[in-house]
Amino acid sequence: MTSLVIAEHDNASIKSATLNTVTAALACGGDVHVLVAGENASAAAQAAAQIAGVSKVIHADGASLKDGLAENIAAQVLAIASNYSHILFPATASGKNAAPRVAAKLDVAQISDITKVDSADTFERPIYAGNAIATVQSSDKIKVITVRGTGFDAAATTGGSAQVEQLAAAGDNGKSSFVGREVTKNDRPELTAAKIIVSGGRALGSSEKFQEVITPLADKLGAAIGASRAAVDAGYAPNDLQVGQTGKIVAPQLYIALGISGAIQHLAGMKDSKVIVAINKDPEAPIFSVADYGLEADLFQAVPELVQAL
Ligand SMILES: Cc1cc2nc3c(=O)[nH]c(=O)nc-3n(C[C@H](O)[C@H](O)[C@H](O)COP(=O)(O)OP(=O)(O)OC[C@H]3O[C@@H](n4cnc5c(N)ncnc54)[C@H](O)[C@@H]3O)c2cc1C
């Protein structure tokens, strides 16, 4: 039994979601291989070879893999899929783009967003916005899985010494082409990897106020900034900051929710945070039911005071 982890990378380094996926693959039992599919991605392949627990890195390199187009990544995975009992992708935007293509072509049922491996064929995954956990057993010969990063610790980035095997890149299948990429420049930690997140909700009232109130606190704490969907929909914060069922799933050491009511769709994205702090002027706000520390206060007064005190 051997598992294949599809690495998320930027050709130079391995992204952290890959590390959680390796831990999930190790829990499935057997050997763990990592596929690094990219162009000029030797550095990423070498980094993957250092990950603790990985026994082999398969490095497919070619122009068709440069931009991580889901169709070409899926074709690359399918070229070697029959060697594996489990194929695991991080449940990130790119993992969720490629995995269903692989599952469909293999004619197997994808097992999505797992948070626990009970055994080699049985997995746990949240349903109903995290209000229930489904235990899913699969009898498919190859199990195609997406892994929720917050459910698994990150594998160590050092300690491994896997061999790196070169593989010819699958050609461009021509179904899609790369047009461009607009990358948000951000000096802050990436939301899903941040240890501290300061999140703002509808209560902020405008993008100016969102910046004025949230940014100084995030700066003081070296935190990433998040937002509720209401804040995003109102244009107070950009879309990629949304935390929740239809946003990002996070589990930092500290999550500070400011003027966020705590709707189940928001809780679905952050309730596994280690320590939750909420500031809300409504004592009945549902966010207080998951908060370790709650402050019933007007955030426009409390947050500047907190920044001052820090
Ligand atoms: C299919 C679906 C998917 C969804 N996905 C998501 C998702 O991914 N993420 C998400 O966040 N939501 C999601 N939602 C929306 C969700 O249901 C809520 O509408 C949203 O989370 C509310 O955002 P909010 O808490 O900022 O706003 P509100 O619910 O309006 O809460 C604002 C809070 O601020 C408090 N407040 C107001 N003024 C102050 C003040 N001066 N000081 C302190 N507190 C104050 C109020 O007491 C209130 O509790 C989804 C909904 C659906 C139907």
Side-chain angles (χ1 to χ4, degrees):
M1 199 167 63
T2 308
S3 297
L4 179 68
V5 169
I6 314 307
E8 199 152 313
H9 64 90
D10 59 5
N11 290 314
S13 61
I14 295 290
K15 299 216 171 145
S16 63
T18 310
L19 304 173
N20 309 86
T21 309
V22 166
T23 302
L26 288 165
C28 294
D31 286 346
V32 173
H33 295 179
V34 173
L35 172 68
V36 176
E39 188 186 41
N40 297 325
S42 302
Q46 288 304 329
Q50 308 298 312
I51 299 172
V54 174
S55 58
K56 192 199 275 187
V57 172
I58 298 166
H59 175 201
D61 213 286
S64 62
L65 301 171
K66 178 174 178 220
D67 296 303
L69 293 176
E71 292 80 359
N72 293 349
I73 297 291
Q76 191 65 57
V77 175
L78 287 164
I80 53 172
S82 61
N83 301 334
Y84 294 98
S85 54
H86 299 72
I87 300 177
L88 300 98
F89 296 77
T92 54
S94 41
K96 288 191 278 190
N97 199 355
R101 299 168 199 275
V102 173
K105 287 280 192 189
L106 293 174
D107 198 19
V108 300
Q110 178 176 303
I111 307 154
S112 302
D113 219 13
I114 65 162
T115 49
K116 194 165 172 227
V117 177
D118 288 343
S119 70
D121 67 359
T122 307
F123 310 91
E124 293 183 20
R125 58 180 300 262
I127 55 172
Y128 301 125
N131 284 316
I133 302 294
T135 302
V136 182
Q137 188 169 35
S138 166
S139 55
D140 283 325
K141 193 160 165 272
I142 303 177
K143 289 156 188 52
V144 175
I145 296 169
T146 61
V147 175
R148 183 181 286 202
T150 54
F152 299 88
D153 291 336
T157 51
T158 56
S161 56
Q163 61 167 126
V164 180
E165 186 180 294
Q166 302 297 327
L167 181 73
D172 186 351
N173 78 3
K175 293 215 171 96
S176 59
S177 60
F178 182 77
V179 176
R181 175 178 286 123
E182 284 175 35
V183 181
T184 314
K185 289 260 183 297
N186 197 347
D187 296 335
R188 295 184 184 284
E190 208 272 309
L191 198 51
T192 53
K195 292 202 165 43
I196 305 176
I197 296 174
V198 179
S199 256
R202 195 198 310 264
L204 273 306
S206 70
S207 64
E208 292 75 24
K209 281 285 172 197
F210 193 97
Q211 288 291 336
E212 192 185 309
V213 176
I214 304 286
T215 308
L217 182 57
D219 285 347
K220 279 269 181 190
L221 297 171
I225 293 179
S228 71
R229 176 155 159 186
V232 169
D233 286 352
Y236 308 162
N239 188 273
D240 59 333
L241 299 192
Q242 185 179 317
V243 171
Q245 185 188 344
T246 44
K248 291 186 175 147
I249 310 284
V250 299
Q253 298 293 325
L254 174 61
Y255 188 90
I256 303 179
L258 304 171
I260 292 178
S261 60
I264 52 165
Q265 296 91 353
H266 189 79
L267 300 186
M270 46 62 76
K271 67 177 164 34
D272 291 333
S273 304
K274 300 282 179 295
V275 176
I276 298 171
V277 174
I279 300 179
N280 196 304
K281 66 177 185 185
D282 175 8
E284 303 294 323
I287 192 77
F288 286 133
S289 65
V290 297
D292 299 283
Y293 300 93
L295 179 63
E296 186 193 329
D298 183 335
L299 70 89
F300 294 107
Q301 195 184 335
V303 176
E305 281 176 12
L306 181 58
V307 173
Q308 196 76 41
L310 287 166

